[in-house]
Amino acid sequence: MWKEENNRLVCNFEFNNFSEAFAFMTRVAMLAEQQHHHPEWTNVYNKVSISLTTHDAGNVITEKDRILAKSITQLLTNS
């Protein structure tokens, strides 16, 4: 699911429609706020692409990214 590319953890998600994609993004936003770590992402209709890197560590993958990625994955397995 998550891949390491160019010092980032990246993952693409696809949902049935825009509403499901937006609801997912809302849940991710709440996790990001709780963890004080925010993704770079895009959304086009039912597709969400997320990229995680730690800017204040020099734009590399850190434990903060791995924890947020795991939390995001758990959103999908718990729904």
Side-chain angles (χ1 to χ4, degrees):
M1 181 176 247
W2 290 92
K3 297 179 196 172
E4 290 189 24
E5 295 178 0
N6 300 321
N7 293 322
R8 296 172 180 278
L9 284 179
V10 297
C11 193
N12 298 306
F13 302 89
E14 188 168 339
F15 300 91
N16 290 323
N17 53 48
F18 177 75
S19 293
E20 286 184 15
F22 194 83
F24 169 73
M25 290 178 75
T26 301
R27 292 191 306 271
V28 170
M30 301 304 271
L31 284 174
E33 279 295 298
Q34 290 171 354
Q35 295 182 21
H36 305 286
H37 192 55
H38 303 91
E40 292 181 22
W41 56 11
T42 60
N43 165 243
V44 178
Y45 182 58
N46 67 331
K47 294 179 177 137
V48 176
S49 297
I50 299 178
S51 174
L52 302 173
T53 190
T54 303
H55 300 292
D56 59 358
N59 294 316
V60 296
I61 299 169
T62 67
E63 192 63 20
K64 289 171 106 175
D65 302 302
R66 296 186 192 290
I67 291 169
L68 184 54
K70 183 177 179 182
S71 298
I72 292 168
T73 300
Q74 288 175 338
L75 285 176
L76 297 172
T77 59
N78 293 335
S79 53

